Amino acid sequence: MSRATRPLRLLRRVPRTSGAVRTYVLVVLLGFCGISILELVREQTGTPGFFVGLGLALLPVAPLMAAFHWVGRAAPHPWRQLLFCFGWGACAAALIAILANSFATQWIAAATADPSDADQLGSVAIAPVVEESAKAAALLLVFLFRRRQFSGPADGFVMAGFTAIGFAFTENILYLGNAFDEDVANGTGVLNSVTAATFFVRGVMSPFAHPLFTVATGLGFGAAALTARRTRRIGLPLLGLASAMGLHALWNSSSDLGESGFYVVYGCVMVPAFGLLVWLAVWIRRRRLRAVAGELAVYAAAGWLSPAEVPALVSMPARSLARALARSTGGRPAGRAVALYGADAAALALLRHRARSGGSAREPDFAGRERELLRRLWLRRATAGPALSRAAVLEELLPPWFDPLGPLDGPGPGHVPQDRRQDPPDRGPALSALPAPRKPREAGAAGPGSRRSDPVPSAMPAGPP
């Protein structure tokens, strides 16, 4: 290696090194916070109460994580990022909340000389601000250092949900552990116990409470990722955070509104809000799948994908079937290649969708990012393409006349398409014979009708295959 190229290689290693350092620092920080918060909870609940609360608090975690992961399956996030959000909520945010809430309650009690008023004021005015701000810190870190992971409201929705699930998990350990300790002291039976009542309220009736609050903050960050204006990038997350604090404060104040206050707030506010949350999740998922389908069709027309792959890539059952088919023939590496292929294809489609709707101000590095994703798709196409095409056939996502083995340029004049339902079953392996993609244009080679501010035409694949 020459002396001239050595500094360049060293400069290329700096971002990777700094990223690795940030990762190690976050892991150490979350580990320290986790050990600290678990010890604090154990001191308050006792060892038996801690393990009982831990076991009961785990029950709603898996269904909630599966629900939020379902929303983001169209363009799945790396699990390490989702686990970071969960760990931040369970460790860092919970530790900040328990320390800040305790300090604020003690300060108010000393200032007013009335512990009951201090607890009420701390629950309604202090806890929502502290807890929602602590959970929002995870979204802020991802928004600042992993901006590519924020492609819209769906990403904020999913990451906010995982952060809130982690926070509620640790909080439930504390509440359930204290309830069990109280039952042991009073000798209460299981059915009439405070533990059973607490689990019913927190684990059955309202496990969605914390995710519902924090999703408002996540939607604010997701909307901010779609705008280029500085004021909106700052104002939208703050607006979402204020909404989360307001909902949280209303929920905490329900027990102070009389005997029926909890049921009124639950029936008139929380249940309709939960229904709105479900509808919003379904709508966001469908909207994202439509965007992915529309943009991938453009790349299929350019030769980077086969037409049979597009319907399989926007169908979650077809993606699962394609991974199973790949694993049956190539083992786990093949199945993982199909999964990464689908994730990169969705990321590519959403990248182009954002650039097409927002221009170069939103995606200044569109051309380089597009080339990188196309390169990764092409490296895995020989493995993933046949599996996805076969899955599209088996899931009946293609028209009956469509022949996935035929030429991509279409049949000639007078050609009668063959019914694919009559195809012999042994034609599946031949699906790997795909044409070469068309080369992307160089920057500045856009057509006469393209805008200079839009990066999409200059980077779109063009030219003969």
Side-chain angles (χ1 to χ4, degrees):
M1 181 174 59
S2 63
R3 296 182 178 179
T5 59
R6 189 174 301 170
L8 297 177
R9 292 181 177 270
L10 292 176
L11 288 175
R12 291 174 183 174
R13 294 177 184 175
V14 170
R16 297 182 181 180
T17 304
S18 60
V21 171
R22 286 199 301 265
T23 301
Y24 294 147
V25 170
L26 285 176
V27 170
V28 172
L29 175 63
L30 291 180
F32 173 78
C33 293
I35 295 173
S36 302
I37 188 64
L38 291 179
E39 181 60 24
L40 286 175
V41 172
R42 191 194 64 81
E43 290 180 358
Q44 295 190 24
T45 61
T47 302
F50 171 79
F51 284 106
V52 171
L54 177 63
L56 294 176
L58 279 172
L59 295 179
V61 169
L64 288 173
M65 292 178 71
F68 278 94
H69 185 254
W70 175 85
V71 177
R73 282 190 67 192
H77 292 268
W79 271 106
R80 61 181 179 274
Q81 181 178 331
L82 298 180
L83 291 178
F84 161 75
C85 292
F86 178 86
W88 182 275
C91 301
L95 181 62
I96 294 172
I98 194 172
L99 295 177
N101 289 338
S102 300
F103 174 79
T105 303
Q106 293 175 4
W107 182 81
I108 295 173
T112 60
D114 190 347
S116 61
D117 289 345
D119 291 338
Q120 180 180 356
L121 183 60
S123 173
V124 177
I126 304 300
V129 176
V130 172
E131 294 177 7
E132 295 306 322
S133 299
K135 288 183 285 184
L139 305 178
L140 178 62
L141 290 175
V142 178
F143 187 80
L144 293 178
F145 297 104
R146 290 291 185 269
R147 181 66 65 87
R148 289 178 179 176
Q149 302 299 332
F150 262 105
S151 60
D155 301 309
F157 191 101
V158 174
M159 285 185 280
F162 271 77
T163 305
I165 293 170
F167 184 88
F169 166 69
T170 303
E171 191 179 61
N172 286 341
I173 297 176
L174 179 62
Y175 279 92
L176 292 168
N178 286 331
F180 179 79
D181 187 54
E182 182 180 348
D183 290 333
V184 171
N186 297 331
T188 310
V190 176
L191 296 179
N192 298 326
S193 64
V194 180
T195 305
T198 304
F199 177 77
F200 180 75
V201 172
R202 300 186 64 86
V204 178
M205 291 186 64
S206 59
F208 57 87
H210 274 288
L212 175 63
F213 308 147
T214 314
V215 158
T217 307
L219 293 176
F221 276 102
L226 298 179
T227 181
R229 296 186 179 181
R230 184 179 180 85
T231 55
R232 292 184 180 179
R233 288 203 306 268
I234 298 175
L236 289 174
L238 292 178
L239 179 62
L241 179 60
S243 302
M245 292 177 181
L247 286 172
H248 198 158
L250 179 62
W251 174 246
N252 286 358
S253 64
S254 61
S255 59
D256 301 324
L257 301 178
E259 296 181 357
S260 60
F262 171 80
Y263 301 101
V264 171
V265 173
Y266 183 81
C268 297
V269 178
M270 297 299 290
V271 172
F274 176 70
L276 178 63
L277 181 70
V278 173
W279 174 84
L280 186 63
V282 175
W283 180 78
I284 286 176
R285 189 174 187 268
R286 289 180 177 176
R287 186 170 178 266
R288 172 164 279 198
L289 285 174
R290 286 197 298 268
V292 171
E295 303 298 344
L296 288 184
V298 177
Y299 288 100
W304 288 99
L305 305 171
S306 71
E309 293 178 40
V310 176
L313 287 170
V314 296
S315 171
M316 298 302 106
R319 281 197 201 179
S320 300
L321 179 58
R323 290 195 297 270
L325 292 173
R327 281 195 300 267
S328 65
T329 57
R332 286 188 177 182
R336 178 166 176 76
V338 174
L340 294 175
Y341 188 87
D344 289 339
L348 177 64
L350 294 176
L351 175 73
R352 185 179 186 276
H353 183 72
R354 294 193 306 272
R356 187 170 54 84
S357 57
S360 58
R362 183 180 299 175
E363 292 294 337
D365 191 29
F366 170 79
R369 179 65 176 159
E370 183 195 42
R371 290 190 184 95
E372 173 63 20
L373 289 171
L374 287 173
R375 184 187 68 83
R376 286 155 55 175
L377 286 177
W378 189 246
L379 291 176
R380 300 186 179 100
R381 187 178 183 183
T383 301
L388 288 166
S389 300
R390 191 64 176 169
V393 173
L394 295 176
E395 289 289 330
E396 298 185 354
L397 301 176
L398 303 173
W401 50 263
F402 185 84
D403 183 8
L405 301 178
L408 294 180
D409 294 336
H415 175 76
V416 179
Q418 181 183 4
D419 192 341
R420 68 173 174 84
R421 292 173 296 186
Q422 300 177 359
D423 289 346
D426 58 347
R427 295 185 66 185
L431 291 172
S432 59
L434 300 174
R438 303 176 184 181
K439 298 181 180 179
R441 294 182 189 173
E442 298 297 333
S450 62
R451 298 176 298 169
R452 290 183 178 270
S453 60
D454 190 355
V456 177
S458 62
M460 278 300 302

